[in-house]
């Protein structure tokens, strides 16, 4: 069981480093009330990585792995974008890019009762929250926040949705504002980012929507300055095209 | 049922509406103009007749193979051509393994019609013995990734593979003069197929009841299009095939407009295919020449004594880097070093053996022998000046023999891999030199004897 070699109680050498599955992160008897996040597994007194990613640590006891995938691993309290694909008795069947379909109770909307079930067609796009996600069962969603208010959850109208990786979605949601979004500061647009790698954009003109979506898709592996340059280049090209037309 | 729903790809109402509205203003979601193709990349594999084509995200592999069969009774002096498609489930969640679906069959038929009805591939040249034996050419198209517009991509893959395929040469021989002898590609250079012209397929997608039209639709655009039309043309502007299977009706003016556009696109794509095939053929010819070089080298028992130790180190590093590059290239044309089949060349006895083989070697480009002209490369010259292998120490001798060893095969019988790398590197260094040397002007030739004597 030779993983990453580090001093037994000292795992600091691995923080913010890329680890691969099988790497031993830390020996744990020293840490009380350990909180293990995604991508890590507790094995007796050791923390093992089960995915490729960057190890993150928040004092005093939170460990997790940041990785980027095209498929989504549901976990509770994530906000995601789902597509309604069917209805099954008391639940809507929603696709959230996870191994199994998610279930959204028909009453899980603000002021939702059996009498006023929202009419969601197949192919509707929803912004929802993952309530429960256990391995082997269908994840459960809700279109309200914990207190029962709508809080901007629910179906999205108009706009354009595209797929990306979970890593890009997290990068767009991080603070301070991601450079590619910063570059569009002067424009007015709406954006909804799902942690399952789905992004919805809406703006006043289709060309703006196309510009923003392509800029975001291209920005995943670029550095901050590269992102700014790329956006500038795309905007200039669009201006040139528009002036020609 | 639920699992099937979970695994299918779903499109939202928002996307559908957006793409349609944008198209009514001639805006495409990936920023292309409605008549632009995505980026086209054509690569070739190690064997003749294998191609890999990428059009944006769509990825198709083509492979051509030949077999000798009895001809059809109504066409006794023509060969046959068959297209097979395989829609791998990894390309699209909608593709199921097993029986080809409706679209798979349509794709195969479309490409087949474009090549056969237009007589692009010469069938009569595939005949070996009229009425008895002909070549059956089989084109296999594997769809690896469905990013939209499989028809055009598969067509280009088929064309690229057919243009680079070589069939073994056949002659009549044997005891009674009636037997067909199929010559090994090592012995007789295999022949390319005769292709008269290149039928290129151009696909159009119609939206909004025939109002909007785009070329080279992506996967999303294909999901919401109202109808599709494929026009197969060659660069001369001849229409080889037109296919429109159902979908929204379009007016005649739209169809003629599409055909005119297709003619322009066909010219563009034909030139791209030609460029790719030409560079492949050049690389292939270079490979053939180098292989001949390696087979001739055993004639010389004295190695390149000009190499110094630090040079050897540099060359080893360079070769290691080349290995790294080559291992990352999955499907690139073979680079510099040739692969002679004989690997066990440690003994002197084998050298004499090989000398005989080189005499019987017949080939295409390798018929041109730079060494028969009066300008052999440096190491040959130096060896001629210092005859008698007794003066050479065994280490250098081992190095010469390892020059011929296969440096690209992973299993190498060499004692020290470093040594083999350097020797193969020396081969690499000398072979480009040899081609250059063959063209060196006479004035420089006078310097040779002095330098060679300096070596001695």
């Amino acid at each position: 069981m030779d993983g990453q070699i580090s001093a037994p109680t000292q795992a600091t050498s691995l923080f913010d480093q890329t680890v691969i599955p099988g790497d031993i992160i830390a020996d744990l008897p020293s840490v009380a009330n350990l909180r293990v996040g995604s991508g890590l597994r507790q094995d007796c007194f050791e923390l093992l990585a089960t995915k490729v990613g960057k190890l993150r640590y928040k004092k005093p006891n939170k460990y997790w792995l940041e990785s980027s995938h095209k498929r989504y691993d549901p976990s509770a309290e994530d906000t995601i974008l789902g597509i309604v694909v069917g209805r099954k008795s008391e639940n809507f069947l929603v696709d959230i890019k996870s191994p199994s379909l998610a279930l959204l109770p028909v009453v899980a909307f603000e002021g939702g009762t059996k009498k006023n079930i929202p009419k969601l067609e197949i192919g509707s796009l929803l912004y929802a929250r993952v309530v429960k996600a256990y391995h082997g069962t269908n994840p459960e969603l809700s279109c309200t926040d914990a207190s029962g208010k709508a809080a901007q959850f629910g179906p999205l109208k108009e706009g354009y949705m595209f797929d990306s990786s979970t890593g890009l979605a997290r990068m767009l949601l991080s603070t301070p504002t991601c450079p590619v979004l910063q570059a569009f500061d002067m424009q007015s647009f709406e954006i909804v980012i799902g942690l399952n790698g789905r992004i919805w954009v809406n703006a006043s003109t289709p060309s703006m929507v196309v510009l923003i979506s392509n800029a975001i898709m291209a920005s995943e592996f670029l550095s901050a300055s590269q992102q700014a340059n790329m956006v500038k280049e795309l905007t200039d090209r669009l201006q040139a095209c528009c002036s020609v037309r | 049922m639920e699992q099937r729903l979970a695994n299918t790809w779903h499109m939202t109402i928002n996307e559908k509406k957006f793409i349609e509205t944008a198209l009514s203003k001639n805006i495409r979601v990936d920023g292309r103009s409605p008549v632009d193709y995505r980026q086209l990349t054509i690569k070739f594999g190690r064997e003749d007749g294998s191609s890999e084509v990428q059009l944006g995200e769509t990825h198709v592999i083509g492979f051509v193979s030949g077999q000798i069969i009895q001809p059809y009774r109504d066409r006794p002096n023509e060969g046959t051509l068959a297209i097979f498609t395989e829609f791998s489930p990894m390309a699209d969640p909608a593709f199921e393994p097993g029986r080809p679906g409706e679209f798979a069959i349509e794709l195969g038929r479309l490409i087949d019609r474009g090549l056969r009805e237009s007589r692009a591939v010469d069938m009569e040249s595939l005949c070996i013995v009229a009425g008895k034996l002909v070549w059956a050419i089989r084109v296999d198209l594997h769809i690896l990734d469905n990013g939209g517009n499989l028809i055009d991509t598969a067509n280009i893959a088929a064309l690229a593979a057919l243009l680079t395929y070589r069939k073994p040469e056949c002659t009549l021989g044997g005891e009674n003069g009636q037997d067909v002898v199929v010559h090994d590609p090592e012995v007789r250079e295999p022949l390319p197929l005769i292709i008269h012209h290149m039928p290129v397929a151009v696909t159009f997608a119609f939206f909004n009841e025939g109002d909007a039209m785009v070329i080279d639709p992506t996967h999303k655009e294909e999901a919401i299009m109202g109808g599709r039309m494929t026009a197969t043309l060659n660069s001369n502007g001849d229409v080889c095939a037109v296919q429109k299977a159902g979908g929204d009706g379009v007016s005649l003016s739209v169809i003629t407009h599409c055909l005119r556009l297709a003619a322009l696109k066909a010219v563009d794509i034909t030139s791209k295919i030609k460029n790719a095939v030409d560079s492949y053929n050049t690389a292939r010819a270079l490979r053939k020449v180098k292989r001949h070089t390696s087979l001739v080298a055993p004639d010389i028992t004295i190695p390149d004594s000009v190499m110094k130790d630090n040079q050897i180190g540099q060359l080893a590093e360079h070769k290691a880097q080349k290995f790294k590059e080559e291992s990352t290239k999955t499907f690139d044309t073979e680079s510099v070093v040739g692969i002679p089949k004989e690997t066990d060349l440690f003994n002197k006895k084998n050298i004499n053996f090989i000398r005989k083989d080189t005499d019987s070697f017949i080939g295409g480009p390798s018929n041109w022998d730079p060494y028969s002209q009066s300008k052999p490369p440096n190491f040959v010259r130096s060896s001629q000046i210092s005859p008698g292998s007794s003066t050479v120490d065994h280490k250098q001798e081992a190095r010469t023999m390892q020059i011929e060893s296969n440096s690209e095969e992973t299993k190498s019988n060499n004692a020290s891999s470093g040594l083999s790398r350097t020797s193969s590197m020396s081969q690499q260094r000398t072979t480009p030199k040899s081609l250059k040397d063959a063209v060196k002007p006479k004035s420089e030739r006078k310097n040779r004897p002095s330098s060679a004597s300096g070596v001695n």
Side-chain angles (χ1 to χ4, degrees):
Chain A
M1 269 261 274
D2 284 300
Q4 190 78 20
I5 309 296
S6 55
T9 49
Q10 228 182 328
T12 45
S13 54
L14 284 178
F15 292 152
D16 291 338
Q17 297 258 349
T18 313
V19 295
I20 55 177
D23 281 356
I24 301 172
I25 310 301
D27 281 336
L28 304 172
S30 51
V31 185
N33 199 18
L34 186 73
R35 301 287 296 262
V36 176
S38 69
L40 292 174
R41 193 168 62 90
Q42 193 170 354
D43 194 20
C44 294
F45 290 130
E46 287 166 340
L47 261 188
L48 285 177
T50 56
K51 290 190 182 167
V52 173
K54 270 209 177 114
L55 179 64
R56 293 261 183 252
Y57 168 64
K58 192 169 170 192
K59 289 195 180 128
N61 57 355
K62 296 200 180 100
Y63 293 85
W64 74 97
L65 220 56
E66 261 178 29
S67 55
S68 179
H69 301 283
K70 282 201 165 164
R71 296 218 39 104
Y72 170 60
D73 220 354
S75 75
E77 298 312 314
D78 276 356
T79 51
I80 47 89
L81 281 169
I83 304 177
V84 177
V85 295
R87 168 102 184 253
K88 185 177 173 184
S89 64
E90 303 254 316
N91 296 311
F92 288 112
L93 294 171
V94 181
D95 166 62
I96 57 171
K97 284 173 80 173
S98 63
S100 46
L101 288 177
L103 301 171
L104 171 65
V106 293
V107 297
F109 295 84
E110 181 168 5
T113 62
K114 288 234 176 100
K115 298 278 173 69
N116 59 344
I117 298 174
K119 294 192 185 64
L120 293 176
E121 305 174 330
I122 293 187
S124 309
L125 185 64
L126 296 169
Y127 184 46
R129 175 179 64 98
V130 179
V131 176
K132 273 191 272 186
Y134 297 115
H135 179 73
T137 64
N138 298 58
E140 201 183 289
L141 306 176
S142 167
C143 274
T144 67
D145 62 8
S147 63
K149 300 279 184 205
Q152 309 199 321
F153 292 117
L156 293 167
K157 301 263 182 321
E158 313 275 320
Y160 175 65
M161 191 220 34
F162 59 94
D163 277 309
S164 71
S165 66
T166 52
L168 178 64
R170 268 201 309 274
M171 180 177 87
L172 291 170
L173 283 169
S174 60
T175 51
T177 322
C178 181
V180 72
L181 292 177
Q182 191 75 32
F184 287 110
D185 222 15
M186 293 290 111
Q187 328 284 356
S188 70
F189 65 99
E190 273 185 278
I191 186 168
V192 176
I193 299 158
L195 282 167
N196 57 344
R198 284 202 176 125
I199 299 165
W200 176 88
V201 181
N202 196 9
S204 44
T205 63
S207 46
M208 200 67 222
V209 175
V210 168
L211 174 67
I212 297 173
S213 57
N214 280 310
I216 292 175
M217 278 194 271
S219 68
E220 182 163 7
F221 301 113
L222 299 181
S223 73
S225 54
Q226 282 173 326
Q227 286 181 20
N229 287 340
M230 185 243 323
V231 171
K232 188 171 183 312
E233 205 186 320
L234 284 178
T235 345
D236 291 342
R237 245 202 277 171
L238 182 64
Q239 306 287 15
C241 279
C242 285
S243 56
V244 165
R245 283 187 202 152
Chain B
M1 199 274 284
E2 230 188 73
Q3 199 53 39
R4 186 177 284 251
L5 268 181
N7 291 336
T8 12
W9 174 76
H10 305 279
M11 192 169 208
T12 55
I13 303 173
N14 313 51
E15 281 170 279
K16 184 173 189 310
K17 274 210 195 116
F18 178 75
I19 296 179
E20 282 176 350
T21 357
L23 277 174
S24 65
K25 300 186 181 155
N26 272 347
I27 298 173
R28 282 174 96 166
V29 169
D30 51 0
R32 281 188 282 160
S33 93
V35 295
D36 270 346
Y37 259 89
R38 289 167 287 179
Q39 194 189 30
L40 174 64
T41 323
I42 303 173
K43 290 191 220 162
F44 298 94
R46 285 177 186 271
E47 291 187 43
D48 291 328
S50 74
S51 66
E52 179 189 336
V53 175
Q54 266 180 292
L55 186 62
E57 292 206 344
T58 308
H59 205 151
V60 177
I61 281 189
F63 189 73
V64 176
S65 51
Q67 214 189 350
I68 301 185
I69 56 157
Q70 275 194 328
Y72 288 120
R73 263 197 229 134
D74 53 345
R75 286 175 210 266
N77 53 351
E78 277 187 16
T80 64
L81 174 72
I83 314 275
F84 292 88
T85 57
E86 189 177 311
F87 278 47
S88 167
M90 73 174 157
D92 192 316
F95 295 164
E96 305 262 313
R99 285 200 59 158
E102 200 184 296
F103 181 59
I105 298 178
E106 188 185 335
L107 180 92
R109 275 292 301 144
L110 196 54
I111 298 178
D112 184 89
R113 210 157 10 110
L115 289 169
R116 190 195 304 279
E117 316 261 320
S118 61
R119 299 183 189 282
V121 182
D122 188 271
M123 291 290 149
E124 295 188 355
S125 64
L126 297 175
C127 177
I128 306 170
V129 178
K132 291 202 189 136
L133 294 170
V134 296
W135 278 107
I137 302 293
R138 176 192 167 116
V139 183
D140 281 286
L141 297 164
H142 294 261
I143 314 291
L144 298 182
D145 200 354
N146 182 13
N149 199 7
L150 288 173
I151 298 172
D152 294 6
T153 322
N155 198 31
I156 297 173
L159 281 173
L162 283 167
L163 285 167
T164 53
Y165 173 67
R166 309 272 160 137
K167 62 181 203 297
E169 188 176 339
C170 300
T171 49
L172 288 174
E175 299 139 2
N176 50 1
Q178 285 299 308
D179 292 339
V180 172
V181 178
V182 178
H183 296 277
D184 191 88
E186 304 291 316
V187 174
R188 288 258 185 113
E189 181 71 14
L191 309 165
L193 299 174
I194 298 180
I195 313 250
H196 296 296
H197 62 96
M198 291 205 271
V200 170
V202 179
T203 299
F204 302 86
F206 305 110
F207 302 84
N208 298 334
E209 280 94 43
D211 277 341
M213 176 270 291
V214 298
I215 287 187
D216 188 21
T218 58
H219 188 51
K220 281 190 182 174
E221 287 167 348
E222 278 189 346
I224 55 172
M225 66 185 173
R228 173 196 5 233
M229 183 177 88
T230 304
T232 309
L233 286 85
N234 63 17
S235 49
N236 291 334
D238 306 322
V239 176
C240 307
V242 177
Q243 169 105 345
K244 187 181 185 305
D248 284 352
V250 286
S251 60
L252 180 61
S253 56
V254 173
I255 294 190
T256 33
H257 177 56
C258 289
L259 288 177
R260 260 185 245 122
L261 274 173
L264 294 169
K265 294 294 165 189
V267 172
D268 190 32
I269 294 177
T270 308
S271 66
K272 285 191 183 143
I273 300 177
K274 273 210 181 109
N275 288 341
V277 171
D278 283 341
S279 55
Y280 170 78
N281 285 334
T282 328
R284 188 176 179 278
L286 277 174
R287 240 189 299 148
K288 287 268 166 193
V289 174
K290 286 193 165 73
R291 189 193 294 197
H292 181 59
T293 305
S294 69
L295 286 170
V296 171
D299 280 330
I300 316 306
T301 54
I302 288 84
D304 184 1
S305 44
V306 207
M307 276 176 50
K308 296 179 191 153
D309 279 321
N310 55 351
Q311 282 183 323
I312 295 170
Q314 286 170 14
L315 292 170
E317 264 182 342
H318 181 78
K319 185 60 188 170
Q321 214 183 6
K322 263 226 163 322
F323 262 124
K324 235 191 259 173
E325 285 172 40
E326 273 166 38
S327 59
T328 53
K329 290 179 196 165
T330 48
F331 229 159
D332 216 333
T333 56
E334 238 184 81
S335 60
V336 189
V337 183
I339 307 176
K341 298 294 177 190
E342 311 83 33
T343 51
D344 186 15
L345 301 165
F346 287 93
N347 312 325
K348 248 191 176 174
K349 301 177 202 165
N350 283 354
I351 292 177
N352 295 329
F353 193 68
I354 289 154
R355 232 182 248 135
K356 287 183 195 153
D357 280 356
T358 55
D359 289 339
S360 65
F361 182 85
I362 316 164
S366 43
N367 272 330
W368 168 67
D369 183 7
Y371 304 108
S372 62
Q373 312 304 318
S374 44
K375 291 162 199 137
N378 262 337
F379 74 94
V380 175
R381 195 62 67 115
S382 63
S383 63
Q384 283 176 347
I385 304 288
S386 52
S389 49
S390 52
T391 55
V392 183
D393 63 304
H394 286 289
K395 201 178 179 189
Q396 284 184 318
E397 198 163 281
R399 212 189 296 148
T400 330
M401 287 155 223
Q402 288 170 359
I403 284 175
E404 289 72 49
S405 68
N406 187 347
S407 57
E408 280 197 7
E409 276 176 6
T410 48
K411 40 174 178 118
S412 75
N413 305 324
N414 302 325
S416 66
S417 58
L419 209 52
S420 74
R421 274 209 300 268
T422 63
S423 48
S424 56
M425 194 52 232
S426 71
Q427 142 121 350
Q428 211 168 320
R429 209 170 71 105
T430 50
T431 37
K433 243 185 167 181
S434 69
L435 289 175
K436 263 194 213 167
D437 289 348
V439 198
K440 260 191 188 149
K442 278 188 187 173
S443 54
E444 290 202 15
R445 232 204 307 172
K446 284 180 191 164
N447 296 330
R448 292 292 174 91
S450 55
S451 71
S453 58
V455 165
N456 223 1

